[in-house]
Amino acid sequence: MSMDMFVALSDPTRRAILEILASRGELTATDIYEQFSISPQAISQHLKVLREARLVVMEKRAQKHLYSLNPQTLSQFEQWVQQTRQRWEERFGALDRVLEAEKQKRAQNEQKEK
């Protein structure tokens, strides 16, 4: 996983751009600019960051720049998220077992003291 991807995803405007592309498909830069109240130059910089992180791809057709999600990078990110979630679930499961064992020991000790 590239750190650039996490930097790109850390910004709410860039996440909004990704959501727009996910819901509407391929869009021109102008179509994307029109969805925001910030300057086209600012959106252009956000698109550049997303391209550099390989989250979106840009195709030039005539005078238009068409943007779309990069499914390969998004699949890699999804796989990373799933692996990370599995690791944490395993850790929480182990912690639950330890806590349950300690709870049982404490209950046994309390009964012995009575």
Side-chain angles (χ1 to χ4, degrees), residues 65-97:
H65 292 171
L66 295 169
Y67 290 86
S68 61
L69 295 177
N70 183 343
Q72 293 143 343
T73 301
L74 293 173
S75 291
Q76 290 171 355
F77 181 69
E78 182 181 13
Q79 183 180 17
W80 177 85
V81 168
Q82 289 174 350
Q83 289 171 347
T84 302
R85 180 182 295 133
Q86 182 179 354
R87 268 188 237 115
W88 279 106
E89 286 174 359
E90 290 169 2
R91 290 176 182 171
F92 285 130
L95 179 59
D96 285 343
R97 289 187 294 279

Side-chain angles (χ1 to χ4, degrees), residues 32-50:
I32 297 169
Y33 300 151
E34 290 172 350
Q35 303 296 312
F36 296 91
S37 60
I38 59 178
S39 71
Q41 294 82 5
I43 294 298
S44 179
Q45 286 300 312
H46 286 299
L47 289 168
K48 179 182 176 188
V49 171
L50 291 169

Side-chain angles (χ1 to χ4, degrees), residues 54-69:
R54 297 184 1 219
L55 289 164
V56 299
V57 291
M58 187 267 296
E59 183 181 337
K60 196 170 184 179
R61 290 189 203 150
Q63 298 297 321
K64 294 182 180 183
H65 292 171
L66 295 169
Y67 290 86
S68 61
L69 295 177

